[in-house]
Amino acid sequence: MLSKENILVSSKENNEPSWLTDLRTSSFEKMHKLSYPKMQRFSYQDWPLIAKEDFKWQNQPDFFIKKENHDLLNDKGIILCDLFTAIKQYPDLVKSALASVIKNDEDKLTAYHYAYLNSGLFLYIPKNTVLAEPITVTLNPTQDSYISHLLIVTEDNSQVKFLEEIQNEDKAVKSANLMVEIVAHPGSHVEFSSLDEMDKDTTLYFNRRARIENDAHVEWAIAFMNDCNTLGDLDSELIGEGSYADSKAIAVTTGDQRVGINNRVTNRGPHSTGLINQRGVLLENSQLIFNGIGQIVHGAHGSKADQQNRVLMMSDNAHGDANPLLLIDENDVIAAHAASVGPVDQIQMNYLMSRGIPYDQAQRLVIRGFLGAVLDAIPNKEVRQKMIDILEKKLIDGQTRR
């Protein structure tokens, strides 16, 4: 069974600093007292999201960075390395940011994450540094229980595009707990994109959150192309005046897959802007829940919250929900939402078919256009094409088995 002693021994073997050991042990203690995170209209508590036996973590990088990225980063003084290496080489930078955006006492799964963290990356962009080309990282996890943390810190007036591709090619991962923390300091711009591609035998929990300060921008473009059961939160905290978040996500579900996603933007700073645009496609017997949560707290005057939650049902046996929620506690604001659940647009289908395009192909073209907001936002052409190829395969397989 899981034990505090195992954490202490493994932490010592890896020569971890005392503050990290303390974070691990306090998280372990909280884990047994906290509840699972809430997901509206979605039951998952019987999923194997927490390992039953202790395991060891090792400082072995499981990521690949393109060579051209290495050369670019070295020239500009940017830090991109394994999280455990960063903890030893840049302790002050990591200590001040790690667990500052996602706390270890929020729920059972966040506490578990910090107690048994066994992989991760650290990205630091210095002040006034602007990267025109995207940083592309491929993650290839090999652990049975994969608990990974990506920490991104962007200093004042810096700009970066970051793309991660998560693959499970060896089908080794049985449970995954993935976190992203972004600390966007004043005036910085972050474009974060991710292609999630986990095998159907994995059970996935994710938590991606940004703290966005004065006049900082964070744009998310997340493609959930997993074949596995998936649960998680995509969250933007607009704490600074003039801060901006655009949270785009797509999901394609197949087979008996179950996916529940909270996409949340909280306007805390005045004159902040929070946008949500999430779109899903359901095939076969799958289930997809999209909860869009826009909140404007008291004092965030002059702010804007807008969201779209749209789901296409490609099977009578699938179950999809698009649940918009606005929580407004201020008067001088603009807030709106839209939600829809239904089949492919027949007007678009008839237009394409009238020009000689077969039904199945026309259907796939309409769906690709439906998901275009995220597909077009992926900065790497090769990854974007791979995403389209995965989408095509899922749709063709779903059409074949209907």
Side-chain angles (χ1 to χ4, degrees), residues 29 78 82 96 123 134 147 176 244 268 285 297 355 361:
E29 293 169 355
I78 294 168
D82 169 75
S96 62
L123 172 62
I147 305 179
Y244 177 95
R268 302 189 184 278
N285 302 309
V297 305
R355 279 145 181 81
Q361 185 179 351

Side-chain angles (χ1 to χ4, degrees), residues 4 7 33 44 46 89 91-92 97 112 174 186 229 240 265 336 354 360-361 364 369 386 394:
K4 184 176 178 179
I7 291 176
K33 302 175 183 178
Y44 67 90
D46 59 339
Q89 296 185 1
D92 294 338
Y112 172 69
K174 300 307 178 186
N229 289 340
V265 177
S354 69
D360 284 356
Q361 185 179 351
R364 297 197 299 272
K386 181 177 181 180
K394 283 178 176 285

Side-chain angles (χ1 to χ4, degrees), residues 382-396:
E382 294 177 0
V383 175
R384 186 165 60 246
Q385 185 57 52
K386 181 177 181 180
M387 189 181 300
I388 292 172
D389 293 343
I390 295 171
L391 171 63
E392 284 285 307
K393 184 178 185 303
K394 283 178 176 285
L395 294 176
I396 291 172

